[in-house]
Amino acid sequence: MPDASTLLLFAAASLALLAVPGPAVIYLVTRSATQGRSAGFISVLGVETGTFAYALAAAAGLTGLVAASETGFTIVRFAGAAYLVYLGVRRLLERSGVETAAPSARSRLFLRGLLVQLLNPKIAVFFLAFLPQFVDPDRGSVVVQSLILGTLFTVLAILGDGAYVLAADAVSGRLRRGRGLERLARLSGGVYIGLGVTAALSGSGHARGGGA
């Protein structure tokens, strides 16, 4: 098990990385701005379920296979880009910016957040290049240490994303009225499309880190 100093150092480094908004954070902010904090928090659950899935994959050594493979990384990158563009087009075509609170709508929010994170190649790179630096084989099982660190990162990500959701909801609360809601929906659609195009054109320099 990692010692206290390692955990503190990992937590500090993780917070520094999480402070830089990535595709998932931008997705959560736009979702919260257009649909409110409830939709934002449900999306957070989906996104961070995806994060923890990568943590489990890292412990099993699977993310290394994807991130180290140019073909695997390219597939994930373009799939993620295509999904973001798809979400953007849907937002632009929707007549209303509000989704109902029905269980089916909550499920869609959760699944969309999950897919955004699972198709985020930067998370795979993070768990391949960053997390292993804090694993010491002399301190016991590498799998257990990876799970502990991955869980810590996920918890910190939940707290950080929750803060983004609350901030986005507070700032945009007055705008989600009348035609302001329609403008926000169009803006979020444009953001998704722009994010997808940026991801597709980001190149193959996947050793570089980035925000979640």
Side-chain angles (χ1 to χ4, degrees), residues 72-90:
F73 182 87
T74 299
I75 290 173
V76 172
R77 178 163 61 91
F78 279 107
Y83 185 63
L84 287 170
V85 171
Y86 163 76
L87 289 178
V89 172
R90 278 184 60 94

Side-chain angles (χ1 to χ4, degrees), residues 139-208:
R139 296 195 63 85
S141 171
V142 171
V143 172
V144 172
Q145 292 184 65
S146 297
L147 283 175
I148 292 173
L149 295 173
T151 299
L152 175 59
F153 179 83
T154 303
V155 171
L156 293 174
I158 290 173
L159 295 175
D161 288 347
Y164 276 116
V165 166
L166 292 175
D169 177 63
V171 170
S172 62
R174 293 184 178 182
L175 298 176
R176 289 196 303 271
R177 299 174 183 173
R179 295 189 63 82
L181 180 60
E182 183 179 344
R183 295 190 185 97
L184 279 175
R186 290 177 179 175
L187 175 62
S188 68
V191 169
Y192 292 155
I193 292 174
L195 203 58
V197 172
T198 300
L201 299 177
S202 62
S204 60
H206 59 268
R208 297 187 299 269

Side-chain angles (χ1 to χ4, degrees), residues 120-131:
N120 181 1
K122 290 185 178 181
I123 290 297
V125 174
F126 168 84
F127 280 105
L128 169 71
F130 182 75
L131 185 146

Side-chain angles (χ1 to χ4, degrees), residues 8-153:
L8 288 174
L9 183 59
F10 178 79
S14 296
L15 288 173
L17 289 173
L18 290 169
V20 181
V25 168
I26 295 174
Y27 170 79
L28 292 172
V29 167
T30 54
R31 181 67 73 182
S32 303
T34 55
Q35 294 178 243
R37 70 177 65 180
S38 177
F41 282 126
I42 294 172
S43 299
V44 167
L45 291 177
V47 166
E48 300 315 333
T49 297
T51 300
F52 191 66
Y54 269 113
L56 294 175
L62 298 179
T63 52
L65 296 177
V66 174
S69 167
E70 187 70 26
T71 301
F73 182 87
T74 299
I75 290 173
V76 172
R77 178 163 61 91
F78 279 107
Y83 185 63
L84 287 170
V85 171
Y86 163 76
L87 289 178
V89 172
R90 278 184 60 94
R91 293 298 288 169
L92 291 176
L93 294 178
E94 286 174 355
R95 292 186 178 181
S96 171
V98 178
E99 292 190 32
T100 66
S104 59
R106 292 195 292 269
S107 298
R108 286 196 298 272
L109 287 170
F110 178 87
L111 290 174
R112 288 173 184 173
L114 175 63
L115 283 174
V116 165
Q117 193 70 324
L118 289 179
L119 296 175
N120 181 1
K122 290 185 178 181
I123 290 297
V125 174
F126 168 84
F127 280 105
L128 169 71
F130 182 75
L131 185 146
Q133 299 178 37
F134 295 85
V135 175
D136 183 0
D138 293 334
R139 296 195 63 85
S141 171
V142 171
V143 172
V144 172
Q145 292 184 65
S146 297
L147 283 175
I148 292 173
L149 295 173
T151 299
L152 175 59
F153 179 83

